[in-house]
Amino acid sequence: MANKEKKIKTRDSGFNIAYRVVTALAAAATFPVMFFTSLFYFAYTIPYFSLISGDASDTGASYLTMSIYEVLSDSSSFKELFMGKDSKVDLAGVIAEVKPQLIAIACLYAAVALLALLIIVFACFTRKKLPIVITSLLGVGVLSFIPLAFSKLTAPFTDGTINLDSFLHTGLESIMDLVAKVDFIRAGDAYTYLWVIFAGIVVWTGAVMLVNMGDEPKKNKQPKEKKAE
């Protein structure tokens, strides 16, 4: 009878199975988010554009968001700007100037993907919830460095260290390229969605742990047997 009770105790309840499935799916959502949503948000203006357009309120501001999917797509605006014989920007030259910052950003996103994979493994192959909480908190911690990494990437363009004009394929037919000024480069929608996923897993797992703690029966202490005199 004792062995039978032990087997029942170690078997997952329906709620815990649902928890593990939901947690694994939430962590797995990290990968399509990183592939289909924008990784960065790029903004630049055209100084004195109002003189060209005749509209004093027109700053010539332009915004560009880019995801991995868009980069790989045949109709990508990224390819029009940075790749091919008609490209406007010398991509290799830009990358060479900000290579450390780009490596840092790539490493941070790779770390996020690895942590998401660990959460999936923990959810599928162990009943313990503490490793999932710790891994999710690490994910939130890694994500907190991404805005800082993007600010480091933007700094050389905004403080004059990098002259954007030197990387542009300029020509009389493209006067906008001569005077383009980078305003900022920020983390895109992927950062926000990833933060919600990891923070959500922390809250979700913490709530489940509290529920399970409340469901555990209190152990009644057995009175100590008196030693026979």
Side-chain angles (χ1 to χ4, degrees), residues 78 81-83 87-98 102 167 169:
F78 178 87
L81 282 172
F82 299 104
M83 302 175 70
S87 62
K88 297 179 180 180
V89 181
D90 177 13
L91 182 60
V94 174
I95 290 177
E97 292 292 336
V98 291
L102 292 175
F167 300 111
H169 295 258

Side-chain angles (χ1 to χ4, degrees), residues 57 150 156 184:
S57 62
F150 272 100
F184 59 79

Side-chain angles (χ1 to χ4, degrees), residues 25-35 109 112-113 116-117 194 197-198 201:
L25 289 175
T30 297
F31 302 101
V33 163
M34 293 179 70
F35 186 78
Y109 276 117
V112 169
L117 183 59
L194 291 172
I197 288 172
F198 280 87
I201 292 175

Side-chain angles (χ1 to χ4, degrees), residues 28-45:
T30 297
F31 302 101
V33 163
M34 293 179 70
F35 186 78
F36 289 106
T37 60
S38 59
L39 293 177
F40 67 86
Y41 183 51
F42 177 84
Y44 65 93
T45 55

Side-chain angles (χ1 to χ4, degrees), residues 23-24 26-28 30-31 34 107-123 131-146 194 197-198 201:
T23 303
T30 297
F31 302 101
M34 293 179 70
C107 287
L108 288 171
Y109 276 117
V112 169
L114 178 60
L115 291 170
L117 183 59
L118 286 175
I119 292 173
I120 295 171
V121 171
F122 289 141
I132 293 176
V133 173
I134 293 173
T135 308
S136 300
L137 287 173
L138 286 173
V140 172
V142 171
L143 285 167
S144 67
F145 286 99
I146 288 180
L194 291 172
I197 288 172
F198 280 87
I201 292 175

